[in-house]
Amino acid sequence: MRHSSPPPSLLFLYPLFIISISLSSFPTASPSSTHSKTSLNRGSSLSVEDEDNFLTSLDGSFSCGFYQVGSNAFSFSIWFNNSADKTVAWTANRDHPVNGLGSKITFRGDGSMVLTDVDGTVVWATNTSSTDASKAQLLNNGNLIITNSSGSVLWQSFDSPTDTILPSQPITKQSKLVSSIANGALSSGYYNLYFDSDNVLKLLYDGPEISSLYWPDPNSQVFQNGRTDYNSSRHAVLDNTGRFLSSDRLQFNASDTGPVIKRRLTVDYDGNLRLYSLNESDGSWNITWEALAQLCNVHGACGRNGVCVYDPVPRCSCPPHYGMSDEGNWNRGCKPLFNLSSYSPTKDRFIELPHTDFYGFDDGYTKNVSFESCKKICLNDSSCQGFGYRLLGAGQCYPKGAFFNGYSSPNFPGSLYLRIPRSVEASKFSSFEVSKLTCNAFEADNSTAGSSGMYVINRRKAIWVYFYGFISAFGVIEFLFIASGKRVLDWEMDMRMLVRLVKDKIGNEDESWVEDLVDMRLKGDLNMKQQRPWQ
Ligand SMILES: *[C@@H]1O[C@H](CO)[C@@H](O)[C@H](O)[C@H]1NC(C)=O
Ligand SMILES: *[C@@H]1O[C@H](CO)[C@@H](O)[C@H](O)[C@H]1NC(C)=O
Ligand SMILES: *[C@@H]1O[C@H](CO)[C@@H](O)[C@H](O)[C@H]1NC(C)=O
Ligand SMILES: *[C@@H]1O[C@H](CO)[C@@H](O)[C@H](O)[C@H]1NC(C)=O
Ligand SMILES: *[C@@H]1O[C@H](CO)[C@@H](O)[C@H](O)[C@H]1NC(C)=O
Ligand SMILES: *[C@@H]1O[C@H](CO)[C@@H](O)[C@H](O)[C@H]1NC(C)=O
Ligand SMILES: *[C@@H]1O[C@H](CO)[C@@H](O)[C@H](O)[C@H]1NC(C)=O
Ligand SMILES: *[C@@H]1O[C@H](CO)[C@@H](O)[C@H](O)[C@H]1NC(C)=O
Ligand SMILES: *[C@@H]1O[C@H](CO)[C@@H](O)[C@H](O)[C@H]1NC(C)=O
Ligand SMILES: *[C@@H]1O[C@H](CO)[C@@H](O)[C@H](O)[C@H]1NC(C)=O
Ligand SMILES: *[C@@H]1O[C@H](CO)[C@@H](O)[C@H](O)[C@H]1NC(C)=O
């Protein structure tokens, strides 16, 4: 709309801008100072295209800004500058990456800091609008803070952790750490660390099908686990020497306790909670504490009917007469290769899987029963897929209505009896099969991280739109020249030359420069940036 356009003198510059970028290869490596910013003032912004599109803490240990998560996808994150893989400690938009062009972090005039995508959509914002916020700054401890002119903190990244806490960053009633979905990815996964309603700090698998607590040991009472549920302050913190203290009496120390070392406590994509120390000499991380010594005690990883086995590293497997539901995705688990509705109360047999259990989903629990009685309880229930039986003094019987959180470990003091219809030719069970070829839940692939269909471009259409834009831009020039009463004789020649140039570029299939300029998600429609010159 013309009324909102800049004055004509500026409009005239736009086509020149386009010409210059179309002739050079974009993005241009703009010469920038090697000193990165340490703070952002109200009214200023960081652009994803800028070379120094990030802030750095005064001591240089943390950076904060645009972090590449896919071929054309970026997040607004805080990362360890000195770790070899630039490990991320916090992300504002983990599930909504923004475009590699036109995206911005702006400290708006109203006091809020916002992340906008190429089309201007606000993807994330702080709650500091209509405050007197004046400065955003990344502290040496990795906390991004927004302060007003008297130095009061109005917002801080420490209040909204993602999957990691840093020393001096508390876990509170309000905070919840959520793992990432795969190794190297930033988007949200299924494992949570939080203070439960009983005041105990817990790890929970919160997946699409089920939720299940797995730490501290769900088979033991609060006090047996060394915790208390009486302190309702719900506050835990890792200090600068590597000592962790929680209001539920959980406490542990890093194996390398002492100051100076950079540490992080992370809920990893595999569901374990680990404390890491940074080796500044080679940028690697060393594990200095972990919540679960046995990874198969993590719930959910192998999906419905799946079993976690040690091979000797943890892997997923299916019980006999069950097969993988979705080759390549253990989250979907296993499915029976027989018809569940063909269970019969008299004819079915059971296959013993020694030292194996599916945690939870018991149809009942009976103490002090014989093996034969337990079997009958299961047979008599058409939804019973099998039962767990333990001989700890008297027999304990756990008929199962569904199989989740399966694991097999030589230490487990019981067996799982799998119900198989008589019609199925039952094989004798020897051990779990582990397919080396099948992608494992514990080594989830990170190759798809951040790259999604939304960043695919319809090239032909985009070129056409861009070419149309060129013509329109010259229409604006023409208008201006006529309006200003000037006659430029060779204007038409210039235009013909440029049109030929554009045609050449298209003809040569050299389309990369177009891709750089077009917002791929708009499927060839104009984006804000492209519209401005000829609006
Ligand atoms: C990041 O760390 C390296 C090596 O420790 C250092 O040379 C560099 O200046 C740091 N970067 C920033 C932006 O501080
Ligand atoms: C923003 O939210 C945080 C955490 O919820 C709160 O501590 C802070 O006071 C809020 N800031 C403003 C300016 O509302
Ligand atoms: C800064 O914020 C604090 C807390 O919101 C407020 O008490 C103080 O007056 C503010 N300072 C200025 C200079 O506005
Ligand atoms: C509860 O935990 C807090 C630490 O988060 C501690 O300061 C406080 O003394 C504890 N209260 C009791 C009654 O133990
Ligand atoms: C951790 O270290 C502190 C002080 O060095 C010590 O008092 C405490 O008992 C240690 N905690 C554990 C769980 O080892
Ligand atoms: C840090 O890494 C270097 C080089 O890999 C190694 O020699 C050193 O032992 C490591 N330090 C620690 C504390 O692990
Ligand atoms: C990690 O730290 C521990 C304890 O300091 C040390 O024994 C171990 O060798 C370290 N591992 C690596 C890979 O540096
Ligand atoms: C399972 O059995 C039921 C009834 O016996 C039948 O209707 C159904 O089609 C069977 N399903 C499969 C997959 O064989
Ligand atoms: C278990 O059952 C037997 C007989 O059925 C009984 O004698 C015994 O006292 C029971 N034990 C417990 C712990 O209930
Ligand atoms: C089997 O189930 C029926 C009802 O569902 C019940 O009346 C009967 O007692 C059960 N039999 C056994 C052996 O548990
Ligand atoms: C996943 O990330 C890890 C570390 O970031 C890397 O070593 C590994 O090669 C990556 N795997 C794939 C399939 O990209």
Side-chain angles (χ1 to χ4, degrees), residues 7-83:
S9 59
L10 280 179
L11 253 180
F12 176 65
L13 292 174
Y14 276 119
L16 293 181
F17 170 71
I18 291 180
I19 292 161
S20 69
I21 56 176
S22 71
L23 296 178
S24 64
S25 102
F26 196 88
T28 47
S30 56
S32 66
S33 76
T34 47
H35 287 287
S36 54
K37 301 184 196 75
T38 56
S39 65
L40 200 62
N41 293 321
R42 191 166 172 141
S44 51
S45 64
L46 300 172
S47 283
V48 68
E49 293 101 331
D50 292 350
E51 195 132 282
D52 54 349
N53 58 16
F54 57 89
L55 304 178
T56 299
S57 61
L58 274 175
D59 68 357
S61 55
F62 288 95
S63 293
C64 150
F66 285 102
Y67 186 89
Q68 188 151 14
V69 294
S71 56
N72 188 39
F74 286 78
S75 66
F76 176 38
S77 297
I78 295 173
W79 63 90
F80 286 87
N81 172 47
N82 296 324
S83 78

Side-chain angles (χ1 to χ4, degrees), residues 132 148-154:
D132 56 347
N148 66 10
S149 53
S150 58
S152 294
V153 176
L154 305 177

Side-chain angles (χ1 to χ4, degrees), residues 464-476:
W464 192 87
V465 168
Y466 192 69
F467 181 72
Y468 178 78
F470 251 110
I471 307 291
S472 310
F474 279 97
V476 174

